[in-house]
Structure formats: C-alpha cells, structure tokens
Amino acid sequence: MLDVAIIGCGVVGAAAAYELSHYPLHVAVLEAENDVADGTTKANSAILHAGYDPEPGTQMARLNVQGVALAKEICARLDVPYRQCGSLVLALSQAELPHLKKLYANGVANGVPGIRLLTAEETLAMEPQLAPTVAGALFAPSAAIVSPWEFALAMAEVAVRNGVELYRSTPVTNIEKIDGGWQLTTPNGSFAARYVVNAAGLNAQAIHEMAAPHTFTLEPTRGEYYLLDKSEGNRVNHVIFQCPNENGKGVLVTPTVHGNLLVGPNAQPVAGDDTACTADGLAFVAATARRSVPGIRFGESIRNFAGVRANVDTGDFVIGETDGAPGFIDLAGMKSPGLSSAPAVAKEVTKILAAHNDLPESKTDYKDGRTRVRFKELPPEQKAELIAKNPAYGRVICRCETITEGEILDALQSEIPAVSIDGVKRRCNAGMGRCQGGFCGPRVLELISKTRGIDPLDVLQDKAGTNVLLCETKTGRGCNHG
Ligand SMILES: Cc1cc2nc3c(=O)[nH]c(=O)nc-3n(C[C@H](O)[C@H](O)[C@H](O)COP(=O)(O)OP(=O)(O)OC[C@H]3O[C@@H](n4cnc5c(N)ncnc54)[C@H](O)[C@@H]3O)c2cc1C
C-alpha cells in the first residue's frame, strides 16, 4: 500500500510531491494527461503575487505570502526562470485611490514586505508607458514573474529523482474506502493508499465527491490572453494591474520571463475546462489593457490562449482533511493565487501527516537541485566546450528562440521526458518564438520519432489524440506511407 497517492500533477500536486519526497514515504502521483501541468498550470498570468489581494485571515492570504517566499528559494535551487520585477496596481482615476488604500491595508495585515503607495508622478517615473491619467499606484516589490510550467516540472522531476512514482495518462475514475486507506481505480490498474491528496484542479470537486459528500462547488471561470512578440517585451518593466473588481484581479500587462509581453485575462464563467478564445473576450482584453498601457501594439501578437480558474463558492482555498473521510486531503478551489501559494499549500499536507504521527524524520540523503542547458545564454567559450563534447549543441533547430538539437534531446531524455511536440516546447522553448513552431515543428517531430523509437504518425502535438501526421492507409483510404 502506498503511503500517499496524489491525484493530479499541476503545480499543486507537483509541489506536494516535492515536499513529500523529502521524507522516507512511498508516494505516487497519478496524472490524467500524458504530461505534467497540462491543466490550469500551463495557462495563467505567471505571476507570483505579493499577497495584498486576499482578505486578511483567509487561507489564501497566509499561504500566498508564505508561498511566494518559498517559490523564490525553490526557483533558485531548481533553475526555474524567475524574475522579481515587482508589481504596480494602478488607480486610473482619483475615484480609485481609496481602493489602493484598502489593498495597502490588506498587504500590511497579510505581512507583505515593502509595499508602498506611490503618487502619479512616482508611478509614471517608474513606468513611462502608462496612461497619463494614472492617479497613483500600489507598489509591491516582492511580486515576481515565473515560468509556471517549468516550476511544476522542476518540482516533479526532483520528486521523481527522490523516489516518487509518477504515472502519466492515469486518470482516477473511482475511489473506495478500504481498511486503513483508500482504493483508487484507473485504466492502468488500482492503487491503494493510506492518504489521498486531491490536487485535481478543475476536477477536484468530482474527485472529492468520489470519496465524501458534497462540500464545495467549483465555478470554472475562463481567462483569455494575448502573448506578444519580444518586440513588445520591454513595453513595461513591472506587472501592471488595474484595481481588482468582483471578477478578480482584472486585466494586467506584464513582461514574461521569456522576454515577451503578456496581456489578459478576462473572466468568463464556462462549463468545465473550456479553453476556447473568443473574439469578444479578446477585444475586451485589448480595450481594457489599453486603459493602463495605451501604446501596446496588438499586431505583434504571436499567440492567444485561455486558462480556466477553479473558482469556488467557499471564497477561499479548500485545504485539509475532509470530515468523515479520514486520510482524504483536499487541495481544491486553487484559483489565483494558487500558483503563488503552491509550495506553502504543499506544507499543509506534511502538517496533516505530522498531526497523525505519520510523518517520519526527513531523509538525510536527499538529492536536491537541478540545472538545464540554455545554450544561447552561455558565454562563447562554454558554447564551444559543449559542442566539442556533443555536436548536437552546435545544430540550431528553433531559429526564433535559438534552441539547439542538444537541448531538444535533453528534453526527450530528462527525468520526466517529453512525449509530444508541445512537451518539448514547454521544456526547452523550441517552438515558442514568433513562428510558433512553423519552422522547427517538423524537425522536432523527427527527433521525437527517432529518440522514442516510434512511427512519425504516432507523434503527438500535445494531448492524446493530437497526432500531427495522418496516413490514409491508417484510415483505410490507401496512401503509400512507407
Ligand atoms: C486565467 C488565470 C490566471 C491565473 N493567474 C495566476 C497568477 O498569475 N498567479 C497565481 O498565483 N495564480 C494564478 N492562477 C491560478 C493558478 O494558475 C492555479 O491556482 C494553479 O495553476 C492550480 O494548479 P493545480 O495544480 O491545482 O491545477 P491544475 O494545474 O489544473 O492541475 C490539476 C491536474 O490534475 C489532473 N487531473 C484532473 N483530473 C484527474 C483525475 N481524475 N485523475 C488524475 N489526474 C487528474 C489534470 O490533468 C491536471 O494536470 C490563474 C489561473 C487562471 C485560470
């Protein structure tokens, strides 16, 4: 029997796995998709929020502030792209200034370090591209931008290195109480575990209700984005928020750790994980963003995408052991700031195990740390050394992002190897540039096929069923695929 089964490997499940892997426990992560963090964690604003938004006294307030500090350390340790650029919440009129004071008071109560209110002049001096109507701002220097996907991957990789078992393409379809724990059913067999951690994101309500009576309702709310080319990447230097409203933190404009500009999201209630982008939604995002940064050139957009928030009717994260279901731990309702809070949320799991006297002493031989080659960032002599050792680093495959064959092979042979073209993209950025994989996609497909020893027809763009190439013989229409 497993000690702990974690359902879902988004940033919350990955953080729980990383935290638990520090202890001599038998832990498995069961993930429905063929890769880690293929849900909300891959499509959000990528901000480690400072923590002035949540109401003081909530789980969100406490875990956000703790989580951001932990995330900073983890990103440094695990070589995850992270930049503490700070954030500004703008008052776009005199009428909005009281709102900034309320956020400031929240921030002080929540223990957010270094926040201060700025005058209009101070704000415009920091960000000259802002609308001249700006009346003031709340500055939070601890806010940061991150690669959310790599953050989750890095924690999952180190967890796996330290003995956590990761089962991909393994959706949990049923949960039953058994003597001393729980039995989880999946298409890949059953798993018995003393503790179950429900980190299933938008599916967390359904998973909860497999084990216990209804206690919370998720209210999926979609947010749509523009990702702009690097030519717009320096438009602003901080994360630029508007005053939040009943729909959340509003439309923001932010640099990304990869050097692009990200603009969004709106807030649209949807059924389930509907990540479609809509003309109306994007028009709203562009018009609203221009209120804070009028000069954004949306013609430089290289991609639109959407993510779905696991908003919840309780108004706060749902964290803890469920009444009447001993050993069943919810990490649910992980709406924003769920990314920022994830490492602190993970520590709640170890606290629960400790309260049951089920947390052993931590391992003394833990294998922490992680690095990956980012060829284009290396000085010339290190590039030459690397190519001499492995000529694959001398062949540039993704011309937009200058990603080499060596880095793509690293992605395909890592601790949690990529199994799709998008899996490669997320691991090493090949295909992330302005052509969005138009040039390098076929070469990446070939490398996946060779490295994994699979037919090119079986190479996926992303999730199961997204095969890139079609052969008519397979569909009974008689082409001559050889
Ligand atoms: C538009 C938007 C903007 C946001 N911006 C920010 C931000 O800037 N900062 C911030 O802190 N937070 C932000 N958030 C929130 C943040 O993205 C989430 O809190 C976080 O990603 C949630 O992670 P998770 O692991 O709970 O969920 P997910 O990433 O969705 O992971 C859940 C995983 O569970 C798996 N799963 C589901 N069902 C099953 C099953 N039956 N069996 C096995 N596995 C299953 C899924 O495949 C998925 O991989 C934003 C969210 C959205 C949508």
Side-chain angles (χ1 to χ4, degrees), residues 202-472:
L202 290 164
N203 243 352
Q205 182 186 341
I207 293 290
H208 173 98
E209 289 170 15
M210 289 179 192
H214 171 94
T215 50
F216 60 89
T217 303
L218 294 184
E219 297 163 348
T221 307
R222 183 176 62 205
E224 298 165 56
Y225 291 90
Y226 284 91
L227 181 67
L228 276 74
D229 185 58
K230 290 180 179 162
S231 56
E232 282 292 292
N234 294 324
R235 177 73 57 188
V236 293
N237 301 307
H238 302 83
V239 182
I240 308 295
F241 293 103
Q242 298 176 4
C243 278
N245 56 32
E246 64 284 358
N247 290 325
K249 297 182 187 73
V251 172
L252 59 88
V253 179
T254 178
T256 72
V257 286
H258 299 118
N260 302 79
L261 189 77
L262 183 66
V263 183
N266 58 343
Q268 178 69 39
V270 286
D273 60 349
D274 175 358
T275 52
C277 285
T278 63
D280 284 353
L282 292 170
F284 170 83
V285 165
T288 311
R290 282 199 180 102
R291 292 183 60 227
S292 24
V293 189
I296 300 171
R297 291 182 301 151
F298 282 95
E300 294 298 296
S301 173
I302 58 170
R303 196 176 184 94
N304 295 114
F305 67 89
V308 182
R309 306 166 181 87
N311 287 359
V312 61
D313 63 349
T314 61
D316 200 356
F317 295 155
V318 179
I319 292 175
E321 207 170 2
T322 308
D323 279 348
F328 186 91
I329 301 167
D330 282 315
L331 305 180
M334 299 305 303
K335 59 182 194 160
S336 184
L339 170 68
S340 318
S341 310
V345 170
K347 289 199 180 287
E348 297 296 298
V349 177
T350 44
K351 279 188 205 161
I352 293 169
L353 265 64
H356 288 289
N357 287 325
D358 272 335
L359 192 69
E361 288 292 308
S362 55
K363 293 173 182 167
T364 50
D365 58 348
Y366 194 73
K367 297 183 268 307
D368 213 349
R370 170 185 177 271
T371 53
R372 77 169 172 87
V373 172
R374 293 183 173 83
F375 186 81
K376 71 176 168 192
E377 293 170 17
L378 297 176
E381 43 312 341
Q382 278 186 35
K383 281 183 177 157
E385 246 173 60
L386 210 52
I387 293 170
K389 272 195 220 140
N390 181 355
Y393 288 111
R395 291 191 282 274
V396 172
I397 303 288
C398 168
R399 290 184 254 167
C400 302
E401 294 290 314
T402 324
I403 306 298
T404 64
E405 184 178 316
E407 290 162 278
I408 293 170
L409 294 175
D410 290 345
L412 290 167
Q413 291 159 349
S414 59
E415 280 159 322
I416 303 177
V419 296
S420 67
I421 294 175
D422 284 354
V424 167
K425 173 175 85 172
R426 292 190 287 259
R427 280 168 180 79
C428 70
N429 301 5
M432 238 187 219
R434 66 167 60 180
C435 93
Q436 288 287 294
F439 282 104
C440 65
R443 287 288 291 122
V444 173
L445 185 146
E446 223 178 308
L447 287 168
I448 295 176
S449 163
K450 262 197 212 145
T451 313
R452 301 194 60 223
I454 60 173
D455 190 303
L457 291 173
D458 293 325
V459 174
L460 300 172
Q461 182 68 42
D462 189 9
K463 296 177 193 257
T466 59
N467 300 58
V468 179
L469 303 176
L470 294 175
C471 176
E472 293 188 345

Side-chain angles (χ1 to χ4, degrees), residues 12 31-32 40-41 44-45 47 49 172 203 225 334 338-340:
V12 172
E31 167 52 53
T40 304
T41 297
N44 54 61
S45 303
I47 292 160
H49 294 290
V172 172
N203 243 352
Y225 291 90
M334 299 305 303
L339 170 68
S340 318

